[in-house]
Amino acid sequence: MKKITISTLLARKQAGEKITALTAYDASFAKLFDEQGTEVLLIGDSLGMVLQGQDSTLPVTTSDIAYHTRAVAAGAKTSFIVADMPFMSYASADQAYENAGTLMAAGASMVKLEGGSWLCDTITGLKQRGVPVCGHLGLTPQSVNVFGGFKVQGRDADKAQQLITDALALEAAGAQMLVLECVPTSLGREVSEKLSIPVIGIGAGVDTDGQILVMHDMLGVSANYMPKFSKNYLSETGDLRKAVTLYLEQVKNGEFPGPEHSFEQ
């Protein structure tokens, strides 16, 4: 198979074909996910919680992400690799340029930033410097202390409209993909329809252009708790590879996420 690029993912959206994604943190799982046909691998700052045992993503550093990005890049030959920019690693444009450069050099194909229209200048600057950007809206875990916990976002009309406005602004600034987390299904559908770039959902309903799960949640081995939007595929199949295959199949055919994994207005 050819290496997946952002052009591949855009073509998937345009053809109405769902995009499959998982987090990965090491070479062995990256190789397994890659061989099963997972299109996007994210080195998430979720590693702070599922690998390090922290109660949030905030302690994760750029060095942490770079280390795991190198491992994932060594294992994956086809998948498109996205690396999270950790908390406060892009507080200024210059910080963002330096830290994004570190992650791209480690093997990322794209970096992901959490936040709305305040990031537009930084995103434009990154794109001008050859760094593809994925935005992240809805529940942005790096802002958990502002939100007052891990809560569904965009349930009232004003906040839903602000999220749509931010999504359009990020795309106009040069973002080439968007992760949308923990929003009502109707909002996930509307954002996906309004944007020309791929929208990857996690707890955003079945109508986004693709789905991503934290691998530990998908395999039922999370050290914390099982989110409503996740599903334990390992318990259903009893085999690691079959679990990944079933997840990919259910994303592709629109069976996952079901209503029980989604949020209403």
Side-chain angles (χ1 to χ4, degrees), residues 66-215:
Y67 172 89
H68 290 280
T69 299
R70 283 190 292 272
V72 169
K77 304 307 177 188
T78 301
S79 303
F80 187 74
I81 298 174
V82 183
D84 261 344
M85 296 277 286
F87 178 64
M88 293 301 287
S89 68
Y90 47 98
S92 70
D94 287 341
Q95 270 186 308
Y97 302 154
E98 180 178 355
N99 291 319
T102 297
L103 299 181
M104 294 294 287
S109 302
M110 174 179 273
V111 299
K112 180 168 75 64
L113 288 70
E114 296 182 9
S117 54
W118 64 273
L119 279 173
C120 286
D121 289 344
T122 297
I123 289 171
T124 299
L126 284 167
K127 185 179 180 182
Q128 289 171 340
R129 288 159 176 80
V131 179
V133 174
C134 176
H136 186 152
L137 291 172
L139 173 59
T140 48
Q142 292 175 15
S143 300
V144 62
N145 291 321
V146 175
F147 294 147
F150 296 95
K151 300 178 180 180
V152 179
Q153 302 297 305
R155 273 186 159 148
D156 65 68
D158 288 345
K159 290 183 179 177
Q161 185 55 55
Q162 183 59 56
L163 191 148
I164 293 168
T165 299
D166 282 339
L168 291 168
L170 295 182
E171 179 179 37
Q176 293 177 279
M177 192 158 68
L178 179 71
V179 167
L180 191 57
E181 181 169 357
C182 282
V183 301
T185 297
S186 58
L187 183 55
R189 180 187 311 116
E190 186 170 2
V191 171
S192 300
E193 290 173 350
K194 286 182 178 294
L195 267 58
S196 61
I197 60 175
V199 177
I200 310 299
I202 177 167
V206 71
D207 298 315
T208 53
D209 302 309
Q211 301 291 329
I212 185 167
L213 287 179
V214 173
M215 57 166 279

